[in-house]
Amino acid sequence: MANQKRHRRFGNIRKLPSGRYQARYLGPDGITRNADHTFETEKLAAQWLTLIESEIIRGEWQAPEAGEVHLSGYGKEWIAHRKLQPRTRENYEDLFRLHIEPILGHLSLGAIKPQTIRSWRGKLLASGTTESQAVKSYSLLRAILNTAVREDEILKQNPCRIPGYDRYHTPERPVATVAQVLALAEQMPPRYVALITVAAFSGLRWGELAALRRCDVDLAAGTVRVPRKLAALKSGLEFGPPKSAAGIRVVALPAVARKALISHLGKFTGAHPEALIFTGDKDMPLRTGNFRRAVKWAKSLADAGMPAGFHFHDLRHTGNNIAAASGASTRELMHRMGHASMRAALIYRHATSEPDREIAEIMDKRITKIAENGKPAKAAGDRLAKRSKPTDDGTGDGKAGKHRRDRPADI
């Protein structure tokens, strides 16, 4: 029978029937672990426990399981079992397969250090991977390893903690004017005129527009309901809920978009309540590539006097900017855009110069009124003249001079 040795400050040692010694300890994660091997003497077992204790004190300890779990399998399992939108899952799978697994997949989780992350990112950029893809890959890897730290407790720290690796500069996207939107709509084949107009003035995304059905439109109220989106997956098109609960919303249309939609419904949309509103030439669901070819997107942009790099998604910015300039609150903008976070709504509120222009106009009116009156300016001038009146010693009134040294004169 094994003999239990005396109690130690950290860990404990016992002698086994074989005559060898076994060491065990309670880790920072609350789990008791045995050493992965036995020791010939009690002294060797005690030395091993001292090393483990020092690692814990220095914050360098990590669970032994970290050396047994490799990133390749752990990352794939993480993506497979995470609750994700189908399109998001595909994007994550591509990022992991193309940019993470080839370089880091063979490593155990415990072998991945901050220096490993720096080297990996350098190799990605040197191989021609864009900075945006490198940032997205880093963010995905950080999320995977966060689970290893917080939920599975395999790692003590996440090695993805390098400042700046999760950000990259994105050039500001162009915002089409109302005149440009209407000019672009005129360049479209009749089937797609309303699609451009509604996209620009409703703020709906491509997938939300492609999933709209006749039953989602209330012409009397001038609104559209957004209960779903259409995602283009590798396996085909798939209808599903919006990205978040905030995406399920009802959006009011301005008159120009409502008029275009009414005309479109009468010409291109089936009578059945479930009929898709916007479809391709063969009444099939919209696909981005087919749409761009059908409307000759690049030529249409040029003919409408718009920049060549303008994307369909950029149309959304026009309506959002107009809504922000109209005085909509942050919460109202969040609802209209289908965002759960304030971040995007605040960007639009800060981007518009209308409120600032109104402030400047009010300031200008007050300044003009005071200048025309002249009394406040004259009074200020009188005070300055009185304070600067010379005295016998040439310094002006001694009392006033003292005050000038203490604080600036009122103007």
Side-chain angles (χ1 to χ4, degrees), residues 299-379:
K299 182 177 184 303
S300 296
L301 290 176
D303 292 343
M306 300 177 69
F310 191 87
H311 300 162
F312 183 94
H313 186 79
D314 294 332
L315 289 168
R316 171 176 160 87
H317 302 321
T318 298
N320 290 342
N321 272 300
I322 294 174
S326 70
S329 69
T330 301
R331 287 289 178 187
E332 290 166 342
L333 285 175
M334 288 169 60
H335 169 78
R336 188 170 183 86
M337 294 187 294
H339 279 287
S341 166
M342 290 186 180
R343 181 174 176 273
L346 289 173
I347 289 173
Y348 283 108
R349 285 181 64 81
H350 293 160
T352 177
S353 61
E354 290 300 323
D356 193 53
R357 187 177 295 113
E358 292 176 5
I359 292 171
E361 289 175 355
I362 294 171
M363 290 174 63
D364 191 46
K365 289 178 182 179
R366 292 178 66 87
I367 293 168
T368 301
K369 182 178 179 181
I370 292 172
E372 290 176 350
N373 190 325
K375 292 181 180 179
K378 185 176 183 298

Side-chain angles (χ1 to χ4, degrees), residues 196-311:
I196 297 296
T197 309
V198 174
F201 301 123
S202 70
L204 268 63
R205 305 172 179 88
W206 169 269
E208 295 169 343
L209 291 162
L212 283 180
R213 300 175 184 177
R214 182 178 278 273
C215 60
D216 297 323
V217 178
D218 185 340
L219 292 177
T223 61
V224 292
R225 183 170 57 96
V226 186
R228 71 190 73 80
K229 69 174 184 180
L230 180 62
L233 307 177
K234 295 176 182 177
S235 57
L237 297 174
E238 181 177 308
F239 290 94
K243 188 173 184 178
S244 67
I248 301 175
R249 62 201 189 278
V250 175
V251 177
L253 299 177
V256 63
R258 196 184 323 161
K259 182 179 178 181
L261 187 56
I262 291 172
S263 175
H264 179 90
L265 290 171
K267 298 176 182 177
F268 302 106
T269 303
H272 195 279
E274 295 295 319
L276 290 173
I277 293 177
F278 300 113
T279 58
D281 291 335
K282 298 180 180 179
D283 291 328
M284 297 297 290
L286 287 175
R287 285 180 176 270
T288 306
N290 293 344
F291 166 77
R292 290 175 62 90
R293 286 190 293 272
V295 303
K296 298 180 175 60
W297 182 253
K299 182 177 184 303
S300 296
L301 290 176
D303 292 343
M306 300 177 69
F310 191 87
H311 300 162

Side-chain angles (χ1 to χ4, degrees), residues 168-213:
Y168 64 97
H169 173 71
T170 54
E172 188 173 342
R173 296 302 306 164
V175 179
T177 65
V178 172
Q180 286 177 322
V181 169
L182 298 179
L184 181 61
E186 288 181 1
Q187 300 300 323
M188 295 291 109
R191 175 179 288 274
Y192 300 112
V193 171
L195 178 64
I196 297 296
T197 309
V198 174
F201 301 123
S202 70
L204 268 63
R205 305 172 179 88
W206 169 269
E208 295 169 343
L209 291 162
L212 283 180
R213 300 175 184 177

